[in-house]
Amino acid sequence: MDRSAQWVLPDVVKDAAAFWEQVVNTIMEAVILISPDRKIVYMNRAAEEMIGATLEDVRGQECIKAVNCPHCHCVCRLFEDGEFRNLEVSIFNREDQRRRIVLKNGRVLLDKDGNFLVGVETLKDITGEVKERGENERRMELLFQEKSRTRTLMDNLHEGVFTIGPDLRIREFSARMERITGYGARAAQGKNVLDLLDIGSGIPSTGKLSDLADRRFCTEIRTRDGERKLVEIRFQPIRFSEDEIIGLVVDRSVRQSEYGELVISEKERVLRALDEARYRRGQAAKILGIDRSSLWRKMKKHGITIQ
């Protein structure tokens, strides 16, 4: 037996209009009823809060004026098309004039003869979601630019360069790292950097990515041939990325000048300065002891570009 067929509306809710008004007012989304001549007939409490006006304030007003939505007529076309789905539109609250971005759905209800009865619209405030989406898109764009700069470092710096993720597994491994360690990039990628290189002192016992950031130390590593080699390692975060850091490795057994400094090219010095200055050209010029124009000429000379 269909038990639902036995259910009847209790006496306390026999007033159908009052009952359905309570139902609609429990809905979190804004609900608005619009007459065929595009005037407000009804709206629930959520709609009142969203547009900043009570039903009595706007009843009988044209929806474009009452809801303060500049997209009316030109986008929703409710009575022309009969319905619309998932329109992302802007409305402006009448009280505080704040712009809200809402997801709008609508459908026309017809009477038994097929004539327009009323239009029903629902509006969901997605301002926060859209803002977060925009921030994420910008973050991804900045991260892409930062990774492009990282690849420039990997291709040009005298140091070996690698990147690791939260599990300390190697993601990128430069050609210079291959020469320092003897491991090819394919063999190194996916391996735990501590296990692969058998890094000695200088690594925190926790082994967490956050504990490695902004650390610089000298230690020994094990090459593919089993040789112990003295190197200097510097870890630094990759901007706009929370799950990846970059490591720079200097082989301390390479040829040095009479002053004890590594013999590096002008291009490498410029790249190092740019990296240290986080690609702020004014700061990089100060590090090099030159002006911005001279830095620009050196960058142009060596084909260094900043996205």
Side-chain angles (χ1 to χ4, degrees), residues 56-121:
E56 297 308 316
D57 292 333
V58 300
R59 193 196 304 269
Q61 290 185 12
E62 289 189 352
C63 62
I64 189 171
K65 178 181 178 181
V67 181
N68 205 6
C69 172
H71 297 87
C72 285
H73 297 310
C74 61
V75 173
C76 75
R77 294 179 54 83
L78 176 59
F79 289 97
E80 289 82 1
D81 299 334
E83 68 174 349
F84 58 82
R85 295 180 181 273
N86 298 326
L87 287 182
E88 197 171 291
V89 300
S90 297
I91 65 172
F92 293 86
N93 186 277
R94 292 159 65 106
E95 285 187 339
D96 57 23
Q97 293 301 308
R98 290 176 56 191
R99 173 175 175 262
R100 288 171 170 80
I101 302 173
V102 301
L103 194 64
K104 190 176 179 182
N105 288 273
R107 186 176 182 182
V108 171
L109 302 185
L110 306 176
D111 62 20
K112 62 181 181 179
D113 297 320
N115 300 313
F116 288 142
L117 183 62
V118 70
V120 182
E121 292 187 353

Side-chain angles (χ1 to χ4, degrees), residues 263-299:
V263 178
I264 61 176
S265 68
E266 181 181 67
K267 182 176 183 179
E268 292 175 34
R269 287 196 297 273
V270 171
L271 284 167
R272 287 186 182 189
L274 287 167
D275 177 48
E276 184 177 342
R278 298 291 190 182
Y279 286 83
R280 295 188 294 269
R281 278 173 282 192
Q283 184 63 31
K286 289 181 180 179
I287 293 171
L288 292 168
I290 59 178
D291 56 36
R292 286 173 61 95
S293 297
S294 298
L295 174 61
W296 181 84
R297 286 193 293 271
K298 291 180 184 296
M299 291 174 63

Side-chain angles (χ1 to χ4, degrees), residues 70-282:
H71 297 87
C72 285
H73 297 310
C74 61
V75 173
C76 75
R77 294 179 54 83
L78 176 59
F79 289 97
E80 289 82 1
D81 299 334
E83 68 174 349
F84 58 82
R85 295 180 181 273
N86 298 326
L87 287 182
E88 197 171 291
V89 300
S90 297
I91 65 172
F92 293 86
N93 186 277
R94 292 159 65 106
E95 285 187 339
D96 57 23
Q97 293 301 308
R98 290 176 56 191
R99 173 175 175 262
R100 288 171 170 80
I101 302 173
V102 301
L103 194 64
K104 190 176 179 182
N105 288 273
R107 186 176 182 182
V108 171
L109 302 185
L110 306 176
D111 62 20
K112 62 181 181 179
D113 297 320
N115 300 313
F116 288 142
L117 183 62
V118 70
V120 182
E121 292 187 353
T122 62
L123 299 90
K124 179 183 178 182
D125 191 340
I126 58 170
T127 306
E129 297 173 22
V130 172
K131 182 179 179 181
E132 182 179 358
R133 186 174 67 203
E135 290 174 349
N136 287 338
E137 288 174 355
R138 172 158 175 76
R139 182 185 179 90
M140 291 303 296
E141 175 63 23
L142 292 172
L143 180 57
F144 173 79
Q145 294 177 9
E146 190 68 12
K147 285 184 173 292
S148 296
R149 293 168 182 167
T150 299
R151 283 191 288 272
T152 299
L153 289 175
M154 294 183 72
D155 293 338
N156 294 281
L157 278 187
H158 180 84
E159 292 98 327
V161 183
F162 63 90
T163 62
I164 53 176
D167 53 3
L168 306 188
R169 295 186 182 277
I170 296 169
R171 294 182 175 179
E172 296 181 83
F173 207 70
S174 72
R176 179 62 183 168
M177 278 299 295
E178 292 181 341
R179 291 194 292 272
I180 292 175
T181 66
Y183 292 102
R186 289 189 178 181
Q189 287 166 350
K191 302 292 195 306
N192 183 293
V193 66
L194 307 185
D195 296 338
L196 181 70
L197 303 181
D198 190 23
I199 298 176
S201 60
I203 297 295
S205 58
T206 59
K208 293 181 179 179
L209 191 70
S210 58
D211 294 334
L212 290 179
D214 294 316
R215 294 181 66 88
R216 185 171 188 163
F217 54 91
C218 286
T219 187
E220 285 189 346
I221 62 171
R222 182 189 62 225
T223 67
R224 183 181 181 184
D225 296 333
E227 173 190 356
R228 301 299 296 183
K229 181 177 289 188
L230 180 65
V231 298
E232 180 181 326
I233 300 179
R234 176 161 60 99
F235 288 105
Q236 65 183 51
I238 295 179
R239 288 188 301 170
F240 317 114
S241 175
E242 297 177 354
D243 66 345
E244 195 170 18
I245 63 174
I246 186 172
L248 298 110
V249 178
V250 178
D251 185 350
R252 284 304 183 189
S253 66
V254 300
R255 180 171 61 92
Q256 296 182 330
S257 72
E258 59 181 328
Y259 299 104
E261 295 296 328
L262 288 171
V263 178
I264 61 176
S265 68
E266 181 181 67
K267 182 176 183 179
E268 292 175 34
R269 287 196 297 273
V270 171
L271 284 167
R272 287 186 182 189
L274 287 167
D275 177 48
E276 184 177 342
R278 298 291 190 182
Y279 286 83
R280 295 188 294 269
R281 278 173 282 192

